[in-house]
Amino acid sequence: MSKPSLICGSLAFDTIMSFGGRFSEALLADQLHKINVAFLVPQLRREFGGCAGNIAYNLKLLQGDPLIMATIGQDGSSYLDRLKQLDIDTRCVRNIDAAYTAQAFITTDADSNQITAFHPGAMAQSHENKVGDAGKVALAIIAPDGRDGMLEHARDCASLNVPFIFDPGQGLPMFNGAELEHFIELATYVAVNDYEAELLTERTGLSLHQIAQRVSALIVTRGELGAEIFTDGQRIDIPCVKADAVVDPTGCGDAFRAGMLYGLTQEMDWPTTGRLSSLMGAIKIASQGGQNHVPSRAEIEDRFQRAFGYRF
């Protein structure tokens, strides 16, 4: 029986609203010290999100075996029901009755400016989960989550000899240079986007080359420019796959990470793993939200062959 991939990260609800005007027309520059404004948002949608949920969703599309380690609150039953319907293992999802599930409230204006309010809720208790409770796993990923949970899960993986991907994402600013360097020392792989790579090098004082020397591979995604994988003293350039449409970048990084998890657990070479990851990001960007794209495994395989000339 194959071992699952442990996905440590957040489960969250994203409430996304569209304001037809411009924030700049409602905010007076000389009155910013006493703001009292309301925006009419006739368009609203609620999405299932959070890094752990998005990664697990995409890994399941590839017919991988995700096991989520996360926390939800008193309002999280609908998310649990969804994961169970998708046949995603939720035995390591802890319910925090005294909190709400993490959620983001995002309002976008006509110029694509955004005002976001984020409530961490149950995510702040993620450290109550223990990696050892997951049993035997093939690989783990430490994705954005509660600060204490990320630190503890990394230490747990290292002590249990569980290889893991350190994926700090938007959680990176929570950690100082010494803490980030400690994550790198414990991790098997590090995955960041280009902005996060700059912040990581700035805070740790380490160059990308020095970080790559401390892990089996350093992966840096660069949006429409593709990605770079630094491993065994070489750099592998991964091309960006042309998307059918560019609709919403939300969750593209998570889709990319799912491709990495699948490629690594299937012992694919790095060029193939990187290309599959790139393809998963391109498939996601053509849909709204992080979990609304629904390609079959066969469709993913066919798209990979069309893009790269061979099957994974």
Side-chain angles (χ1 to χ4, degrees):
M1 185 175 179
S2 63
K3 300 175 186 176
S5 296
L6 182 65
I7 303 171
C8 303
S10 61
L11 291 176
F13 293 115
D14 296 331
T15 300
I16 302 169
M17 297 159 280
S18 296
F19 170 55
R22 293 176 170 82
F23 295 143
S24 60
E25 295 171 353
L27 300 173
L28 302 176
D30 61 343
Q31 299 294 312
L32 294 181
H33 62 290
K34 54 177 182 179
I35 294 174
N36 186 4
V37 296
F39 302 109
L40 178 66
V41 288
Q43 297 181 35
L44 180 149
R45 69 181 195 273
R46 197 178 197 216
E47 303 281 4
F48 294 100
C51 294
N54 292 342
I55 294 170
Y57 178 83
N58 283 279
L59 184 55
K60 197 66 180 181
L61 291 177
L62 288 164
Q63 297 183 356
D65 187 10
L67 168 59
I68 294 177
M69 177 165 283
T71 49
I72 59 168
Q74 58 190 260
D75 57 341
S77 60
S78 62
Y79 209 147
L80 270 183
D81 291 343
R82 169 179 171 78
L83 294 171
K84 290 174 182 175
Q85 289 170 1
L86 292 168
D87 194 26
I88 292 174
D89 196 336
T90 61
R91 59 189 164 88
C92 290
V93 176
R94 181 181 296 267
N95 196 313
I96 308 296
D97 290 331
Y100 289 106
T101 302
Q103 40 204 301
F105 300 88
I106 306 164
T107 303
T108 305
D109 75 358
D111 291 331
S112 295
N113 296 308
Q114 290 186 326
I115 295 176
T116 299
F118 181 73
H119 173 65
M123 193 179 80
Q125 305 302 315
S126 62
H127 58 279
E128 295 186 17
N129 285 321
K130 308 301 177 186
V131 171
D133 294 340
K136 294 186 180 300
V137 298
L139 178 64
I141 182 168
I142 310 297
D145 204 352
R147 171 188 160 81
D148 292 344
M150 293 179 71
L151 288 165
E152 185 160 325
H153 296 154
R155 288 193 292 262
D156 287 352
C157 283
S159 66
L160 294 167
N161 294 315
V162 174
F164 75 92
I165 301 167
F166 176 48
D167 170 29
Q170 65 265 34
L172 196 154
M174 295 190 296
F175 303 103
N176 61 35
E179 290 166 333
L180 290 168
E181 190 167 357
H182 187 55
F183 274 118
I184 294 167
E185 294 295 341
L186 297 178
T188 316
Y189 314 99
V190 172
V192 289
N193 65 26
D194 46 5
Y195 171 77
E196 294 155 3
E198 289 188 21
L199 187 56
L200 186 60
T201 58
E202 177 185 304
R203 292 211 169 176
T204 62
L206 300 171
S207 67
L208 290 181
H209 176 70
Q210 289 172 319
I211 295 171
Q213 288 182 320
R214 300 187 182 197
V215 292
S216 294
L218 166 65
I219 301 91
V220 181
T221 60
R222 300 190 179 279
E224 69 276 8
L225 300 179
E228 297 166 343
I229 299 173
F230 301 86
T231 183
D232 291 331
Q234 60 179 325
R235 188 186 79 187
I236 302 169
D237 292 320
I238 303 298
C240 179
V241 177
K242 183 176 176 57
D244 291 340
V246 178
V247 175
D248 180 8
T250 304
C252 286
D254 298 326
F256 188 101
R257 271 74 174 157
M260 287 177 53
L261 284 170
Y262 187 81
L264 288 167
T265 55
Q266 298 300 309
E267 298 183 350
M268 295 177 179
D269 59 33
W270 274 113
T272 300
T273 296
R275 290 165 185 166
L276 177 59
S277 302
S278 181
L279 172 62
M280 294 303 293
I283 291 172
K284 207 279 7 131
I285 204 171
S287 297
Q288 288 278 9
Q291 300 178 28
N292 294 320
H293 49 298
V294 290
S296 68
R297 165 64 185 247
E299 289 170 338
I300 296 171
E301 291 179 350
D302 289 344
R303 287 197 59 172
F304 186 94
Q305 183 170 30
R306 290 198 300 273
F308 302 112
Y310 67 100
R311 301 186 81 80
F312 65 84

